[in-house]
Amino acid sequence: MRKHTIVAAVLIMALFVTLTGACKPKVYTDGTYMAVSTADDYGYGTAKVVIEKDKIKSVELAEVLETGVEKDWATYPWAQAKQAKDEMPAQFVAKNDWNVDIVAEATSSSNKYKEAVKFALEKAKRKPTVTTTYFDGTFMGKSDEDHGWGVAWVTIQNDAITAVKVTDIVTDEETGVAEEKDWENYSYQEANEARPVMEERLVAAGPAGIADVEIVAGVTGSSDKWKQAVTRALDSAKVK
């Protein structure tokens, strides 16, 4: 009789553990989530995170330069940065979390990847922790290409734009390398003078008013590119 009682108790305990695990509320909604990190003067990181059965199934990482162009790992000289891109996805999957160890001598890239994965996981949450429309921080956007392109750094705090920085990127005719326009020696200084004017207007407009920001007369091309770059920076900063 005692033996039967022990067996029954073990079975009941096993059933309890199984039911408890089965009833555990899910944290994430299955799917694929794209997110970017906040940006600094050197660019930002991106993450594509696949969630399956409430766990991280896979992670793909990339990094975008300050010119708005994705890093070419075949020519990029810093091996540790590529090492971080290649090795960190397995860490995210194994730990099922964004907070993993960084790769030595690739601190900046590692932290960008971690933040991008963190933001992707936030997007996947059934019950979001972040309740604003946008993540706080500085986000970068790139306009369409037309004789070069515009890039913008947009700083957001509590769904308000607190700062904007814009510039133009051109491709060197000899090397084919994308680089910031040499504003000091640029022949059309009206464009350079338009930058702080547009930055001020874009901040004042806020996220909802970017499309209606008045362009600077005589600087239509760059003004429109900066507006588009700001809009795309805001899009990348959205929580949902």
Side-chain angles (χ1 to χ4, degrees), residues 1-15:
M1 178 68 69
R2 183 177 179 184
K3 180 179 180 181
H4 289 180
T5 302
I6 293 173
V7 171
V10 170
L11 290 174
I12 292 171
M13 182 63 69
L15 179 62

Side-chain angles (χ1 to χ4, degrees), residues 93-146:
V93 173
K95 194 172 182 180
N96 195 42
D97 191 54
W98 65 270
N99 195 14
V100 301
D101 293 336
I102 65 172
V103 173
E105 299 185 70
T107 302
S108 178
S109 292
S110 297
N111 283 330
K112 287 173 182 175
Y113 292 144
K114 288 174 62 175
E115 188 174 51
V117 172
K118 178 182 179 181
F119 287 164
L121 292 175
E122 178 64 31
K123 291 183 177 187
K125 283 182 179 178
R126 291 170 176 259
K127 293 183 178 180
T129 304
V130 180
T131 58
T132 50
T133 300
Y134 303 98
F135 291 110
D136 285 346
T138 299
F139 295 84
M140 187 177 163
K142 172 181 178 289
S143 76
D144 291 339
E145 298 182 24
D146 180 17

Side-chain angles (χ1 to χ4, degrees), residues 2 27 48 51 60 94 117 154 164 196 217 228 237:
R2 183 177 179 184
V27 177
K48 177 182 177 181
I51 302 292
E60 294 180 23
V117 172
V154 181
V164 170
Q228 187 178 59

Side-chain angles (χ1 to χ4, degrees), residues 156-168:
I156 305 165
Q157 184 68 39
N158 294 325
D159 284 344
I161 297 176
T162 60
V164 170
K165 183 176 75 170
V166 298
T167 193
D168 281 343

Side-chain angles (χ1 to χ4, degrees), residues 21-36:
C23 295
K24 184 179 179 180
K26 289 187 175 181
V27 177
Y28 304 111
T29 300
D30 285 359
T32 300
Y33 299 88
M34 302 290 299
V36 304

Side-chain angles (χ1 to χ4, degrees), residues 210-232:
I210 300 303
D212 298 323
V213 169
E214 182 183 0
I215 63 174
V216 175
V219 193
T220 302
S222 288
S223 296
D224 282 337
K225 290 174 185 175
W226 296 332
K227 288 172 62 174
Q228 187 178 59
V230 168
T231 297
R232 290 180 176 171

